[in-house]
Amino acid sequence: MNSIAIYPGSFDPPTNGHLDLILRSNQLFKKVVVAVLRNTSKKCLLSVDERYNLLKECTKNFPNVEVDAFEGLLVDYARVREAKHIIRGIRALTDFEYEFQIALLNKRLAPDIETIFLMPKEEYVYLSSKLVKEVALLGGSFDDLVPKPVANFLKEKIKNNLRFSDLEG
Ligand code: PNS
């Protein structure tokens, strides 16, 4: 498709599932803007700058992928970026209700912007940022769940006394 797509999310942290979706969207669109949400009510483990930098590092070999951060309404941001498509991953039925709500609300706010759902590769169906954080903070191995720069970053963070309570909120 000869247009721009926004791939929005919290990316706390970026996982192999996110990267898979970025790479596959990159083959469908002229440009993919990976957009980290700034004003989330979720308590995040990584700062926006940390997530932005990790996504930049993980996508540095893809010239048609741009990383950015946004605040406010997603559809307003999409308009500013002249994007006609929003990419979201849908892993299982559990994602469906939430995604359905967001997509329908966005459609109401901006009928000219289409949400495109991509299914993850089978091997990433179970993968979520939340579970990666849990495994990492409880001392499990997460090397094959996240891109290498993210794994290294998380290990460093854990070494520097990151505690499980940092996740609660
Ligand atoms: O990775 P996430 O946390 O599931 O991503 C959620 C995201 C960023 C897509 C959603 O929270 C969002 O678009 N927020 C921006 C505010 C907005 O536009 N809200 C109305 C539609 S939900």
Side-chain angles (χ1 to χ4, degrees), residues 2-167:
N2 192 25
S3 64
I4 302 172
I6 306 280
Y7 178 32
S10 303
F11 303 105
D12 185 48
T15 68
N16 283 341
H18 292 131
L19 200 60
D20 171 48
L21 245 70
I22 294 170
L23 302 187
R24 283 160 51 208
S25 312
N26 189 36
Q27 290 168 358
L28 294 173
F29 294 94
K30 185 177 76 178
K31 180 173 184 171
V32 177
V33 180
V34 182
V36 182
L37 177 66
R38 275 190 193 283
N39 55 337
T40 180
S41 52
K42 281 186 194 171
K43 184 172 179 187
C44 288
L45 184 63
L46 277 61
S47 72
V48 172
D49 284 352
E50 288 169 338
R51 288 176 271 151
Y52 172 90
N53 288 333
L54 286 170
L55 283 164
K56 281 277 268 194
E57 174 69 18
C58 297
T59 58
K60 65 180 179 202
N61 295 325
F62 300 94
N64 302 333
V65 175
E66 183 188 324
V67 181
D68 196 8
F70 77 104
E71 51 201 340
L73 278 182
L74 175 60
V75 291
D76 288 344
Y77 174 72
R79 286 232 167 87
V80 170
R81 298 307 313 257
E82 297 180 343
K84 286 279 176 226
H85 298 91
I86 293 168
I87 306 283
R88 292 290 289 171
I90 201 149
R91 288 164 300 193
L93 274 184
T94 43
D95 285 339
F96 186 77
E97 199 175 330
Y98 172 62
E99 295 299 335
F100 194 63
Q101 259 183 333
I102 297 184
L104 285 179
L105 184 58
N106 285 335
K107 190 80 195 156
R108 197 186 170 97
L109 294 169
D112 54 320
I113 298 175
E114 259 339 305
T115 299
I116 310 263
F117 292 111
L118 293 181
M119 275 203 303
K121 272 192 190 162
E122 203 178 340
E123 63 203 271
Y124 301 136
V125 162
Y126 64 92
L127 189 53
S128 70
S129 294
K130 183 167 179 272
L131 289 183
V132 167
K133 283 184 278 199
E134 207 164 299
V135 170
L137 290 167
L138 291 172
S141 160
F142 53 88
D143 283 298
D144 53 348
L145 307 180
V146 294
K148 205 168 177 52
V150 178
N152 292 342
F153 181 86
L154 287 178
K155 282 176 199 167
E156 228 13 71
K157 239 187 150 105
I158 290 166
K159 236 200 286 173
N160 292 331
N161 267 339
L162 180 78
R163 289 183 318 271
F164 204 72
S165 59
D166 292 330
L167 271 186

